[in-house]
Amino acid sequence: MRRSRIVGMGHFVPERVVTNDELGQQMETSDEWIVQRSGIRERRWVEGNVGASDLAVPAALQALAEAGRTVADVDLILFATLSPDLNFPGSGCILGAKLGIPGVPAMDIRTQCTGFLYSLSTADAMVRSGMANCVLVVGSEVHSSGLDISTRGRDVTVLFGDGAGVAVVAASDDTSGLIDHELHADGRYAEILMVEAPASRLTPRLTKEMMDEGRHFPKMDGKAVFKHAVEKLPALVHSLLGRNGLTLADIALLVPHQANMRINELVARHLGLGPEKVMHNIQKYGNTTAGSIPIALHEAALEGRIQKGDLVLLAGLGAGLTWGGTLLRW
Ligand code: UT7
């Protein structure tokens, strides 16, 4: 049976490091509050006019080099982002142009923190069906240009960072690779984490008054999202493993979405997973949303925390609500 696997990965974060103390000079917050509530110590923010596709270019080139492929091999781009370069067209189209591969199909996937997981499962289905052979699966965000950098927005602003991660997913006939995916969405909770404007449901889509009220900045009911995450992620992990006849003992590493270290520690505790089996890098990058899982997975591989043949679980929850997971053999 034709299958697919990740044959190379890359990631890229902007050079500029923004520490918690630096944020403390711009709003009423502190290193102590941020570390205690989220585990974040610093994040990377772009300087000047840099879009999600700009961060994706070096990550994609690195992923292709790691895969021993070139841009000429790519026959599909899937671009997960909640911070596209433009409202439309999608960043996938823009990335294709920047990589010099006009004509290659490209689509954006708008499922926020699970964007990489939805994209990976789509790539897997396209490759298994024979519709694609070599897919660039991109998760990239530039949050910093859309954050409320003031005390009004501090609950959200301190959490988010910019960054991109890319996987090259290609056809494979060995037994390693992408095994299974489980995806969920529940739009009843759409407004617990959202950017409200500009939006098609508003006429006009954006006014000065709306901007004065900060309605173009992200809004989050942090406690509600937190509760959904610690309830739904352990259930998802059990479901994904169970339907594949596996248990947690079979898993070498859980790579969760990096939204909050406390969420991931609680999920690990509910699952009975020791710290050696859970990947964290939120302390360095904050929450890079669609970028977070591929950046963490690539770093885990570079650090030698996963070896060829290991079973790895990816899992995440975020705006939508959306949540999901992928089981793969590295
Ligand atoms: O990837 C997308 C998914 N997102 C998530 O998974 C986020 C999930 N939620 C969370 O991570 C947490 O809820 C937060 C880190 C966002 C907040 O932690 P919390 O323990 O739920 O704090 P809180 O919102 O209940 O706020 C506690 C206090 C409040 O003050 P009062 O009302 O107790 O006086 C806030 O105003 O902390 C205040 N606060 C801050 N203080 C200093 C909120 N943000 C800040 C801040 N610095 N940045």
Side-chain angles (χ1 to χ4, degrees):
M1 193 179 75
R2 187 176 152 107
R3 302 179 59 150
S4 81
R5 62 183 285 254
I6 295 175
V7 293
M9 293 198 75
H11 71 274
F12 180 79
V13 292
E15 249 176 62
R16 184 178 163 222
V17 175
V18 177
T19 62
N20 293 342
D21 286 335
E22 189 178 333
L23 292 180
Q25 289 159 18
Q26 295 165 299
M27 63 192 78
E28 284 173 34
T29 190
S30 64
D31 179 56
E32 193 195 356
W33 191 97
I34 299 169
V35 172
Q36 201 183 68
R37 305 284 174 140
S38 72
I40 299 166
R41 295 187 178 274
E42 58 189 40
R43 72 286 294 138
R44 304 297 185 95
W45 282 2
V46 300
E47 290 172 281
N49 294 326
V50 175
S53 71
D54 295 310
L55 300 187
V57 171
L61 294 176
Q62 187 185 34
L64 286 165
E66 205 182 279
R69 316 233 170 178
T70 73
V71 289
D73 296 312
V74 175
D75 57 8
L76 176 65
I77 296 172
L78 299 176
F79 199 117
T81 188
L82 64 68
S83 51
D85 298 61
L86 300 169
N87 272 332
F88 76 84
S91 289
C93 297
I94 297 168
L95 178 63
K98 287 180 177 165
L99 292 177
I101 44 175
V104 170
M107 66 174 156
D108 281 24
I109 295 200
R110 293 286 311 272
T111 54
Q112 300 67 247
C113 306
T114 56
F116 183 76
L117 299 176
Y118 271 73
S119 302
L120 205 53
S121 64
T122 306
D124 190 22
M126 296 288 269
V127 170
R128 280 179 196 247
S129 73
M131 282 188 70
N133 286 307
C134 180
V135 188
L136 273 186
V137 183
V138 181
S140 181
E141 307 285 1
V142 174
H143 282 299
S144 54
S145 51
L147 296 172
D148 184 354
I149 304 176
S150 73
T151 298
R152 180 178 65 180
R154 66 182 179 174
D155 60 323
V156 172
T157 298
V158 301
L159 302 177
F160 288 97
D162 304 336
V166 176
V168 179
V169 172
S172 155
D173 42 23
D174 72 26
T175 53
S176 60
L178 300 174
I179 297 170
D180 195 12
H181 315 268
E182 182 171 324
L183 302 172
H184 299 276
D186 188 343
R188 290 176 300 170
Y189 302 106
E191 297 198 358
I192 66 174
L193 177 49
M194 66 167 176
V195 173
E196 192 196 355
S200 63
R201 69 180 187 181
L202 301 172
T203 306
R205 293 183 179 187
L206 187 63
T207 62
K208 180 171 179 312
E209 289 68 36
M210 284 156 68
M211 289 186 76
D212 290 344
E213 290 164 17
R215 290 166 67 186
H216 59 307
F217 291 127
K219 291 280 169 312
M220 176 169 73
D221 178 348
K223 282 204 187 308
V225 180
F226 195 104
K227 196 161 166 273
H228 280 291
V230 295
E231 282 173 10
K232 291 187 165 64
L233 290 176
L236 174 110
V237 167
H238 284 304
S239 166
L240 192 48
L241 289 174
R243 70 191 204 186
N244 286 282
L246 297 165
T247 69
L248 280 162
D250 298 310
I251 298 301
L253 193 67
L254 171 67
V255 181
H257 168 48
Q258 307 288 306
N260 185 324
M261 198 179 290
R262 279 166 54 218
I263 292 179
N264 292 344
E265 285 169 350
L266 273 171
V267 167
R269 198 184 316 152
H270 284 318
L271 292 170
L273 277 179
E276 73 290 352
K277 284 203 168 187
V278 185
M279 179 68 190
H280 297 289
N281 62 3
I282 193 171
Q283 62 280 9
K284 297 188 289 181
Y285 304 131
N287 179 349
T288 58
T289 307
S292 105
I293 291 176
I295 294 172
L297 178 60
H298 193 216
E299 285 202 341
L302 293 175
E303 288 167 14
R305 293 189 66 180
I306 45 179
Q307 304 295 334
K308 188 160 173 46
D310 280 349
L311 277 171
V312 179
L313 250 180
L314 316 178
L317 175 141
L321 284 181
T322 60
W323 64 105
T326 288
L327 177 67
L328 61 94
R329 191 174 290 284
W330 191 248

